[in-house]
Amino acid sequence: MSMRKTIVFILSLFFILSLPKDNLFAQPPQSWTSADMYQAIKKLNVLGSVLYIAAHPDDENTRLITYLSKDRLFRTGYLSITRGDGGQNLIGDEQGIELGLIRTQELLAARRVDGGEQFFTRAYDFGYSKTPEETFTKWHKEKILSDVVWVIRKFQPDIIVNRFPVTGEGGHGHHTASGILANEAYAAAADPNRFPEQLKFVSVWQAKRVVWNTFNFGGTNTTRDDQYKVDVGGYNPLLGKSYGEIAAISRSNHKSQGFGSAATRGEALEYFKTTGGTAPVSDLMDGVELSWKRVAGAEAISGIVDSLSSSFDLMHPEKSVKGLVRLYQAIKSLPDGYWRDKKLLETQQLIEQCSGLFLDVTTAEQFPVQTDSLRINFSFNNRLGTDAVLLRIMEDNFDSSFSKTLEKNKNFNFSKSVLVPAEKPITQPYWLSGKMSEGYYDVSKQISIGQPDVDPAYSFFILIKIYGEWITFQKTAKYKFTDPVRGELYQPLTVLPPALLSPDDKVKISKDNNTFSGVLNITGKKKGFSTFLDGVGREQVDNVKVQYSPDKLVFDEKNKVIPVSYTVIANKDNEYHFAMDANNGRKDVLHAGMKEVKYDHIPYITYFTTATVTNTKLDLKTYGKKIGYIVGAGDKVPEALEQMGYEVTLLTDKELSKNNLSQFDAILTGVRAYNTNDWMNKYYDKLMKYVNEGGNLIVQYNTSNQIGPVKAKIGPYNFNITRTRVTDENATVSLLKPEHPVFNFPNKIVQDDFKGWIQERSIYHATDTSGKFEKLIGMNDPGEKSDDGSLIVAKYGKGWFTYTGIVFFRELPAGVPGAYRLLANIIALNKKKGF
């Protein structure tokens, strides 16, 4: 390869690396229809961009995004301030960062449908907030504002669209905060004195206007006849769907939130109120040049595109490739700039698709391991016979040269083995690499901020000469396999360390002292090595003794799991990080546990945690032994109950039908059990009989709305479930009946038991409509009146019924002492004699 060509190749790599990363880490190679190609050619002559901003995944207006991207052909993005970590989960028991990972992938799936691009800030969704003031106390307003400014400067939208106003009609404090941030960022992005450290990478940017996309939902109508209106309900014959139909498919990807949506057809008006810049009169893009006239020296480009469009052959898209290559050369000759780069990439994608090039890089292993080898499989096919010659394939530790003509519809397959070096980073979502703060992820690398997804483990640069032009295609290596039910699947590659640690429990509750035991499951991810456990990492802990059995481990086969028993003897509560020799050629230690999240509607999710166990010494007394737990939407309360010393039996439809309930000292229902289980209704009489004969039924929160309607009668007496909640985890708690057994047996509940709670106090309170319930706790958020519906109990026959919105499902896994003590008392209710 000549020096000049090598320089051209390297420059093309820099160009590709500077572009936004795709979100196709788990998708098969893209294959467009001729209609997709034709629409993409038309888009080459549209130089306009729109950025939509809201607070959470599922807040975005998918119909508007679809219209903007697929009708107006604008570059369209959605900036979600958070990843939705604090929401509810209707499909599993993942909460917090795991739920945020799920909702991130659901958003990316939605964007693949509606044509938008996805961005995030560092803000953590800490749960429901009632005011923007509360929100900003946790988000660190200036930090998150800088992120919004960064995305605006990088994306360069001509207009910015808000989902929520700054005046509170959006309800959620995060919603209002997102509106405040968007409007402030509109001005700050254009000010060189705001966040000047960003200007090493981007330039200031002034959008033409910022508008609020007003709405009519949830009983609140903010639309007005004098607002600017756009009909976004059109039908696109190229796509065979209306924008409302496409939007419904997009929105239905938010499965964890229960947002399956019905398709809409016909006129659909969207309303806009200008909050910054000049108001639109005849078009949302009034005053914005949308053609190649906005790029110096590009006057001839639009004519070339028009010619390509008019001559495009739906049955033979390969006939357009020569013209596309000439267009590629013409755009490449323009001065460096935003639209030059964007349209160069779009043209490159069109060349690939119109050529019918199939460029696939896969492995048969999902988990490459540091210091082990990995076999990469390459499969190329020039399906439509374009003049294409493979010249070079390159990756960090791989570089091969070729001079291979890719023949028409002939497979060119080969494999190469590469060493996964010790310094190869594990494949960790970048926002989880540092220790997070209460309200935001710690991301110090400026250019990563806004990026939606994890950096791929392996990306290959494939240089192909097409009609004489050298073009470099970037392809992410993926794990490919065939599922007997779902067929051929692609999933992300995840680089692992040689060994992984997994504690049996993340929280260890101990009584009387801080001595506790458990099991570490150590998995060797490669064979033929030995290692040893190396104490525990800890902060400010004296006189700690750790015992392991065994302490030296030999892995003679891949994926061998060795259980190691451990005992920690300490003198106070603390958090322990278990460590071992990394055995990856470095002198550091490994304390990585791996978590996997798998659902069919999104790519596999893998992330790493420190192998951490938190020990809390509790003054905890329990009464009763056997607990029945009716599984709901999913939570980790059963594990906490076992930590408390109870024997827990999980009760599903089958188990409820065959079990004698009298064996249980108490029965608890998991969160939203009455929302998610249709079969609960047929066990109402059986459960009430259990209570009447001396049992204790404890119902954790359920929702009562269009997403989660209650599907069965719940208690012995009537009560309603409301939307009332207390979001301040430090809110004052009043014991309305301090003499009640709930606060006295077997543990004496005091104000200290309500210290150290996380995220919130309670959700979905009850109101007593029968007059039969005792209201035991009063609490409220600042500025609101006290509510007594978070914990209600009633005597029924010889037993007790309890409904509680107290968020035990959050507090118990976090090891909050008072939550354990309070729940132990509720469980003991039917054992307190003489009350």
Side-chain angles (χ1 to χ4, degrees):
M1 183 180 293
S2 70
M3 179 64 71
R4 186 182 70 84
K5 290 294 189 181
T6 300
I7 291 172
V8 169
F9 179 55
I10 292 172
L11 289 175
S12 68
L13 292 186
F14 282 130
F15 164 69
I16 292 173
L17 289 169
S18 69
L19 295 172
K21 296 179 175 62
D22 65 37
N23 55 26
L24 303 175
F25 300 162
Q27 305 303 309
Q30 287 182 285
S31 187
W32 295 0
T33 66
S34 287
D36 296 326
M37 298 174 202
Y38 179 72
Q39 181 140 312
I41 291 173
K42 301 289 284 186
K43 184 177 180 177
L44 290 173
N45 264 345
V46 180
L47 281 67
S49 56
V50 180
L51 182 64
Y52 201 93
I53 300 178
H56 309 106
D58 72 38
D59 285 343
E60 77 275 22
N61 185 335
T62 53
R63 188 169 55 195
L64 178 60
I65 289 174
T66 302
Y67 166 80
L68 293 170
S69 69
K70 295 186 178 294
D71 184 277
R72 300 299 303 274
L73 304 179
F74 297 142
R75 185 185 183 204
T76 306
Y78 174 45
L79 172 57
S80 178
I81 302 297
T82 76
R83 295 177 182 269
D85 327 75
Q88 299 176 39
N89 183 0
L90 271 65
I91 61 174
D93 63 3
E94 297 86 3
Q95 296 291 329
I97 62 171
E98 286 190 351
L99 181 56
L101 289 165
I102 291 171
R103 298 185 73 184
T104 292
Q105 293 303 324
E106 289 179 337
L107 263 186
L108 291 172
R111 297 294 81 78
R112 287 191 287 270
V113 173
D114 60 35
E117 300 175 45
Q118 187 59 53
F119 306 96
F120 295 96
T121 75
R122 289 172 285 183
Y124 178 73
D125 178 359
F126 56 83
Y128 190 82
S129 171
K130 293 182 178 177
T131 67
E133 291 78 17
E134 179 193 7
T135 298
F136 287 135
T137 62
K138 297 186 178 182
W139 276 2
H140 192 307
K141 181 183 177 183
E142 277 294 291
K143 188 179 292 290
I144 306 307
L145 177 61
S146 76
D147 292 356
V148 181
V149 168
W150 166 258
V151 172
I152 290 173
R153 287 172 172 172
K154 197 172 181 184
F155 186 81
Q156 297 185 16
D158 293 309
I159 65 169
I160 297 168
V161 182
N162 276 344
R163 169 81 284 186
F164 300 108
V166 301
T167 45
E169 292 92 335
H172 199 315
H174 295 182
H175 293 170
T176 306
S178 73
I180 293 170
L181 289 168
N183 280 277
E184 292 188 12
Y186 162 75
D191 185 350
N193 296 314
R194 299 303 308 275
F195 314 110
E197 69 280 0
Q198 298 178 1
L199 301 182
K200 293 183 293 184
F201 308 99
V202 293
S203 301
V204 294
W205 180 254
Q206 179 64 72
K208 189 69 177 178
R209 62 183 56 88
V210 56
V211 297
W212 166 30
N213 178 200
T214 59
F215 52 81
N216 181 8
F217 56 73
T220 301
N221 184 4
T222 61
T223 63
R224 301 289 184 271
D225 286 338
D226 60 353
Q227 294 170 355
Y228 184 77
K229 296 181 281 293
V230 178
D231 179 9
V232 301
Y235 174 78
N236 190 320
L238 283 174
L239 305 177
K241 290 182 173 65
S242 71
Y243 301 122
E245 290 171 314
I246 297 170
I249 299 170
S250 171
R251 190 161 184 78
S252 294
N253 278 289
H254 296 297
K255 299 185 189 305
S256 67
Q257 305 306 295
F259 275 4
S261 299
T264 62
R265 299 158 192 87
E267 182 184 64
L269 296 178
E270 293 292 342
Y271 294 74
F272 303 90
K273 179 179 180 180
T274 303
T275 58
T278 58
V281 176
S282 59
D283 189 88
L284 270 178
M285 288 290 199
D286 275 351
V288 178
E289 178 56 66
L290 299 175
S291 75
W292 280 99
K293 293 179 182 178
R294 72 189 298 173
V295 179
E299 295 82 2
I301 299 296
S302 61
I304 299 174
V305 174
D306 287 340
S307 176
L308 283 165
S309 175
S310 62
S311 64
F312 183 73
D313 187 336
L314 289 169
M315 295 303 297
H316 293 283
E318 72 277 11
K319 292 180 180 179
S320 296
V321 175
K322 281 185 180 178
L324 285 166
V325 170
R326 287 194 293 269
L327 175 64
Y328 182 87
Q329 294 166 335
I331 295 174
K332 190 170 68 170
S333 68
L334 296 172
D336 289 345
Y338 175 86
W339 282 112
R340 179 257 190 197
D341 291 348
K342 302 307 173 193
K343 295 304 176 180
L344 193 63
L345 178 61
E346 289 178 25
T347 305
Q348 177 178 305
Q349 291 171 327
L350 270 164
I351 291 170
E352 179 183 358
Q353 293 299 322
C354 290
S355 298
L357 284 174
F358 178 84
L359 306 174
D360 202 17
V361 184
T362 64
T363 77
E365 291 282 340
Q366 184 181 2
F367 299 114
V369 180
Q370 292 170 339
T371 70
D372 207 352
S373 62
L374 175 67
R375 191 165 184 80
I376 308 288
N377 304 313
F378 299 88
S379 181
F380 302 153
N381 190 307
N382 183 11
R383 291 175 291 188
L384 294 177
T386 295
D387 178 13
V389 180
L390 175 65
L391 299 177
R392 189 175 183 185
I393 302 175
M394 192 174 76
E395 199 268 339
D396 288 344
N397 298 290
F398 178 95
D399 193 347
S400 291
S401 295
F402 303 80
S403 183
K404 169 66 178 175
T405 298
L406 298 177
E407 301 176 59
K408 182 177 180 178
N409 206 29
K410 295 288 183 68
N411 291 321
F412 177 50
N413 301 326
F414 63 97
S415 300
K416 294 282 187 179
S417 290
V418 298
L419 176 68
V420 184
E423 61 272 14
K424 180 78 173 177
I426 60 175
T427 311
Q428 174 80 325
Y430 71 89
W431 60 96
L432 300 181
S433 295
K435 185 175 181 179
M436 66 177 294
S437 299
E438 180 185 17
Y440 58 88
Y441 294 106
D442 182 15
V443 180
S444 57
K445 190 176 180 182
Q446 180 66 59
I447 59 174
S448 294
I449 293 171
Q451 180 182 319
D453 208 352
V454 61
D455 290 317
Y458 283 89
S459 284
F460 287 83
F461 300 95
I462 303 168
L463 178 62
I464 299 177
K465 184 172 66 174
I466 300 177
Y467 289 111
E469 179 68 22
W470 289 30
I471 300 177
T472 301
F473 300 94
Q474 183 181 10
K475 296 297 173 183
T476 296
K478 303 158 191 167
Y479 165 51
K480 184 172 77 170
F481 63 102
T482 302
D483 181 272
V485 175
R486 299 172 63 199
E488 184 178 81
L489 297 176
Y490 289 75
Q491 294 294 347
L493 284 185
T494 301
V495 174
L496 304 182
L500 297 167
L501 291 79
S502 178
D504 55 346
D505 294 300
K506 292 180 65 176
V507 175
K508 288 289 186 180
I509 301 301
S510 55
K511 300 178 182 180
D512 303 324
N513 55 47
N514 288 102
T515 297
F516 64 98
S517 299
V519 175
L520 292 173
N521 290 306
I522 317 294
T523 304
K525 300 308 293 184
K526 68 174 190 175
K527 65 179 180 179
F529 76 99
S530 61
T531 186
F532 59 91
L533 289 158
D534 189 28
V536 291
R538 58 196 182 276
E539 296 179 3
Q540 298 177 347
V541 180
D542 301 321
N543 303 318
V544 174
K545 295 180 180 179
V546 186
Q547 300 168 348
Y548 295 109
S549 179
D551 59 357
K552 185 174 181 180
L553 313 174
V554 177
F555 295 96
D556 49 15
E557 59 184 86
K558 190 173 183 177
N559 291 319
K560 181 178 181 180
V561 180
I562 301 177
V564 176
S565 299
Y566 73 88
T567 299
V568 175
I569 303 170
N571 57 10
K572 60 181 175 180
D573 295 354
N574 213 281
E575 185 177 85
Y576 299 89
H577 306 293
F578 290 90
M580 61 186 293
D581 182 340
N583 197 357
N584 59 0
R586 300 183 303 196
K587 293 182 179 180
D588 59 350
V589 295
L590 172 75
H591 43 269
M594 186 178 79
K595 297 289 189 71
E596 293 184 84
V597 179
K598 293 183 179 180
Y599 290 100
D600 286 349
H601 69 294
I602 54 176
Y604 294 167
I605 296 168
T606 305
Y607 74 102
F608 298 90
T609 63
T610 54
T612 300
V613 173
T614 300
N615 170 236
T616 301
K617 181 178 70 174
L618 286 184
D619 176 15
L620 177 68
K621 302 179 182 65
T622 59
Y623 199 102
K625 193 68 176 176
K626 300 190 70 174
I627 302 291
Y629 199 87
I630 300 175
V631 178
D635 57 66
K636 295 180 172 63
V637 174
E639 294 89 333
L641 291 169
E642 289 177 339
Q643 283 278 319
M644 296 166 72
Y646 297 109
E647 297 175 8
V648 180
T649 300
L650 297 181
L651 301 176
T652 60
D653 186 2
K654 182 178 179 180
E655 283 73 29
L656 267 177
S657 66
K658 67 181 183 181
N659 267 284
N660 179 4
L661 301 186
S662 64
Q663 66 180 296
F664 299 114
D665 296 299
I667 295 175
L668 282 75
T669 67
V671 299
R672 299 195 307 281
Y674 289 88
N675 298 135
T676 58
N677 299 326
D678 292 321
W679 42 263
M680 287 296 292
N681 203 50
K682 65 183 179 182
Y683 297 112
Y684 174 77
D685 290 338
K686 186 172 185 177
L687 287 168
M688 291 305 104
K689 182 175 184 290
Y690 161 75
V691 175
N692 188 55
E693 293 177 353
N696 185 9
L697 177 61
I698 302 163
V699 175
Q700 296 183 83
Y701 90 91
N702 288 266
T703 62
S704 184
N705 54 35
Q706 72 278 9
I707 296 174
V710 173
K711 298 179 179 180
K713 190 175 180 182
I714 298 178
Y717 311 115
N718 291 333
F719 66 94
N720 290 333
I721 298 173
T722 73
R723 303 284 293 174
T724 303
R725 62 201 300 164
V726 177
T727 64
D728 182 355
E729 67 271 30
N730 299 310
T732 299
V733 175
S734 298
L735 308 184
L736 302 180
K737 294 189 174 183
E739 74 287 353
H740 198 280
V742 162
F743 304 125
N744 292 280
F745 180 80
N747 304 286
K748 179 68 175 177
I749 301 300
V750 296
Q751 283 300 318
D752 280 352
D753 287 303
F754 298 100
K755 293 180 179 178
W757 287 49
I758 65 165
Q759 188 162 323
E760 56 195 345
R761 290 286 194 199
S762 58
I763 52 180
Y764 300 107
H765 291 193
T767 55
D768 177 14
T769 58
S770 63
K772 300 285 189 178
F773 290 93
E774 296 178 276
K775 279 74 76 175
L776 301 182
I777 284 180
M779 53 184 169
N780 57 277
D781 280 319
E784 299 181 356
K785 67 177 183 178
S786 181
D787 187 89
D788 60 9
S790 64
L791 178 61
I792 63 171
V793 301
K795 197 83 166 62
Y796 181 66
K798 297 178 181 179
W800 288 87
F801 172 85
T802 297
Y803 174 85
T804 181
I806 294 172
V807 289
F808 290 111
F809 73 99
R810 296 197 195 281
E811 310 307 322
L812 298 179
V816 177
Y820 281 89
R821 287 163 46 82
L822 180 58
L823 183 57
N825 284 14
I826 298 172
I827 290 172
L829 255 181
N830 61 336
K831 299 300 181 183
K832 180 64 175 175
K833 309 299 182 182
F835 181 79

